[in-house]
Amino acid sequence: MKSLVAETLANDPRIDQAKKLLQSAVADRSKELVGVRAPDPDRIASSKQMIEQFNAIRAGALYFPYLGSGIGHGALVELADGSVKYDMISGIGVHYLGHSHPALIAAGVDAAIRDTIMQGNLQQNVESVAMSQSLLDLANRGEKRFGHCFLTTSGSMANENSLKIILQKQTPASRVLAFEHAFAGRTMAMSMITDKAAYRTGLPKVLDVDYLPFFDYRRPKESTAETIKILKSHIARFPKLYAAMCMELIQGEGGYYPGDRDFFRAVIDVLKENNIAVWCDEIQTFGRTTHPFAFQHFDLDQYVDVVSVGKLTQVCASIFTDAFKPKPGLISQTFTGSTSAIFAASAIMDVMKKEKLFGEGGKIDRLYKQFVGRLEKIHKAHPDWITGPWGMGAMIACSIFDGGDAVTKQFLLKLFDNGVVSFVAGSDPARVRFLMPVPVVSEADVEAVCDIIEKTLAEVAHGRSATHPA
């Protein structure tokens, strides 16, 4: 069989040479980033001006004064003010391979020589097939349940497509169930599912959503019974009107609280009895537990009908069984993703498959235990400074002092100044969350980050005692 011209180009030795030259150039520069660095005094003013300009353009202030320079080294990132920080939030889960990863540089070259910048309706290249198949292979590691994968540009759009697929299959049922404190996105429909009234201010109601209490680790049996009671009450009130339940198996914006298999099984049993689809929102959890998917971690493979994935995948997707195959015309997008994002997604999943990330004793498990071990050590020495629970896998969280919004933000901003980027989640109490770029984080990185966390806690504690003396 004669080679395609594109295949000949991809195998041209000059392309391989270009990749190696670019990787080498970036590596030579990125290796200069060896640890936390303070801002360059000569760049502080110009960086601040740029941030103020950007805040005005986007009609809202950035949470941190963060503008990346465009280079990093694993978990370290250089900012426009010349500072270097540990990125322990990864763009809230997007930068799974950290910064300036050689595999992503190579993927960028592969994308750069392709004929189109974007792919989508009427125009998909062969790399879309490979990337979609990789997602299905990971989803079918246990039960061979999923047959389909539809790509899209964002996690919120993946959830939108998942919802549309379910509603069409389940018509005339139209209501949706979700857990309290759920976050599904900010599109019109997803803002209805997201359990935060501020994200719906001024918006018309477009979807009926009812909420269930999430698993309470302090009262496992009681909380399960309460959730089932409320679930059955909703179903009795609106019989045959629920199309699906959107389930975060580890709450993301809600505070990094993991559920429990027995709890989920109890909920799912009732859902299945009433023909309510099980839809797992894995936008944030994918790639961050002991298995590629959290539903696999909780051994729920045989029950899930639809899964939404995103963030670390760059190109997001809805994955679903044959029973939920949509009719023509329901989902079709001008853009399903940029060519560079599609190549990057394949490169990221190749790393996921090759690295020993998953399973007991895998890198995710080891780094979690190391990170949490340090947090528990701080808690033991200073019980009022920091408390758990600590999340799960690469999704780590804690509460600071009394968990108030003000002190949590104060800690986050000071932690940022000291060299670690983290973020907030949950409320009452607020939680500080960390999303490690696991494949590129070392044990030394975790120790350095935890040292900075402890130092920052001490600084905040000193400030609080000075303000409120005994």
Side-chain angles (χ1 to χ4, degrees):
M1 182 168 54
K2 186 177 179 180
S3 295
L4 295 172
V5 174
E7 293 170 340
T8 305
L9 174 61
N11 293 319
D12 190 311
R14 291 172 293 181
I15 301 300
D16 187 55
Q17 183 182 21
K19 291 179 183 178
K20 290 177 179 176
L21 284 170
L22 288 169
Q23 288 169 330
S24 176
V26 173
D28 285 347
R29 299 283 75 82
S30 66
K31 68 184 181 184
E32 298 174 23
L33 309 177
V34 294
V36 170
R37 188 170 70 199
D40 180 346
D42 294 333
R43 293 182 176 273
I44 292 175
S46 61
S47 176
K48 183 179 179 182
Q49 184 179 11
M50 245 191 310
I51 289 168
E52 290 174 350
Q53 177 188 6
F54 191 38
N55 287 343
I57 291 170
R58 68 196 296 271
L62 296 165
Y63 192 90
F64 294 118
Y66 181 119
L67 284 178
S69 71
I71 194 170
H73 186 197
L76 292 164
V77 59
E78 181 185 69
L79 303 191
D81 63 4
S83 65
V84 177
K85 302 182 186 296
Y86 277 106
D87 181 3
M88 287 289 119
I89 195 61
S90 307
I92 315 187
V94 178
H95 313 309
Y96 193 65
L97 300 187
H99 298 269
S100 300
H101 195 285
L104 298 184
I105 295 170
V109 174
D110 288 332
I113 64 172
R114 282 301 196 265
D115 61 322
T116 60
I117 296 170
M118 300 294 292
Q119 297 186 29
N121 190 22
L122 303 183
Q123 170 87 49
Q124 299 276 186
N125 285 358
V126 295
E127 50 268 15
S128 291
V129 182
M131 184 262 175
S132 299
Q133 188 61 55
S134 288
L135 274 174
L136 285 176
D137 290 344
L138 289 171
N140 288 320
R141 281 177 34 139
E143 295 273 332
K144 309 300 180 187
R145 184 167 173 79
F146 299 100
H148 308 284
C149 174
F150 190 88
L151 306 180
T152 188
T153 52
S154 73
S156 191
M157 276 307 304
N159 274 337
E160 284 276 343
N161 286 336
S162 295
L163 176 62
K164 288 170 68 178
I165 288 166
I166 291 167
L167 290 176
Q168 186 181 74
K169 160 71 166 55
Q170 299 287 81
T171 187
S174 61
R175 300 184 77 91
V176 172
L177 292 155
F179 288 122
E180 293 173 358
H181 310 300
F183 182 89
R186 287 183 172 91
T187 56
M188 283 291 287
M190 292 309 108
S191 65
M192 303 294 115
I193 296 176
T194 294
D195 188 20
K196 195 159 186 176
Y199 296 167
R200 295 190 292 273
T201 300
L203 299 181
K205 185 176 181 181
V206 297
L207 184 70
D208 289 313
V209 182
D210 297 299
Y211 297 96
L212 304 176
F214 193 68
F215 177 71
D216 186 342
Y217 67 96
R218 297 161 298 190
R219 307 163 49 250
K221 291 183 179 179
E222 294 85 352
S223 74
T224 300
E226 289 167 6
T227 297
I228 296 304
K229 181 179 179 180
I230 294 171
L231 171 58
K232 289 181 177 179
S233 175
H234 285 320
I235 292 171
R237 186 178 183 187
F238 301 105
K240 298 183 180 181
L241 289 184
Y242 288 105
M245 178 161 184
C246 181
M247 305 175 74
E248 285 181 288
L249 304 178
I250 302 170
Q251 293 209 309
E253 304 296 318
Y256 282 18
Y257 295 106
D260 171 83
R261 184 179 188 275
D262 291 341
F263 171 79
F264 293 130
R265 274 297 314 273
V267 172
I268 288 171
D269 284 347
V270 177
L271 298 177
K272 292 296 184 181
E273 288 169 6
N274 290 276
N275 191 35
I276 300 170
V278 177
W279 162 26
C280 287
D281 175 353
E282 297 237 17
I283 304 299
Q284 194 159 171
T285 52
F286 177 64
R288 295 191 165 93
T289 65
T290 60
H291 291 72
F293 289 86
F295 72 76
Q296 295 165 336
H297 172 88
F298 291 106
D299 192 23
L300 302 174
D301 306 52
Q302 62 184 299
Y303 308 107
V304 178
D305 299 302
V306 179
V307 186
S308 306
V309 296
K311 288 191 179 289
L312 75 82
T313 52
Q314 312 302 305
V315 180
C316 305
S318 299
I319 300 169
F320 47 97
T321 64
D322 287 341
F324 286 81
K325 183 178 178 180
K327 295 176 182 178
L330 183 72
I331 49 174
S332 180
Q333 298 177 197
T334 302
F335 296 151
T336 55
S338 69
T339 303
S340 59
I342 292 167
F343 272 104
S346 290
I348 290 165
M349 285 186 285
D350 283 345
V351 171
M352 290 174 67
K353 293 172 185 176
K354 292 174 184 175
E355 297 285 330
K356 295 179 180 178
L357 302 178
F358 304 110
E360 187 175 349
K363 191 174 183 183
I364 290 172
D365 182 48
R366 295 197 314 273
L367 291 181
Y368 172 79
K369 289 175 179 175
Q370 181 191 1
F371 204 136
V372 167
R374 282 294 309 272
L375 297 182
E376 288 177 338
K377 187 176 179 180
I378 298 169
H379 169 72
K380 187 175 181 180
H382 305 281
D384 58 329
W385 284 11
I386 184 171
T387 55
W390 313 109
M392 176 178 284
M395 301 172 65
I396 294 172
C398 57
S399 295
I400 303 299
F401 298 101
D402 61 4
D405 292 341
V407 72
T408 302
K409 185 166 185 177
Q410 178 191 4
F411 171 81
L412 284 168
L413 293 175
K414 188 172 285 291
L415 187 68
F416 179 85
D417 288 340
N418 287 342
V420 174
V421 189
S422 182
F423 199 47
V424 68
S427 59
D428 300 322
R431 307 257 285 162
V432 173
R433 57 172 156 169
F434 304 91
L435 271 173
M436 293 184 288
V438 172
V440 299
V441 171
S442 68
E443 292 179 359
D445 290 331
V446 172
E447 290 301 316
V449 166
C450 289
D451 286 345
I452 297 169
I453 291 171
E454 188 166 13
K455 171 191 172 185
T456 306
L457 284 166
E459 291 172 353
V460 175
H462 178 73
R464 284 166 64 86
S465 62
T467 305
H468 305 286

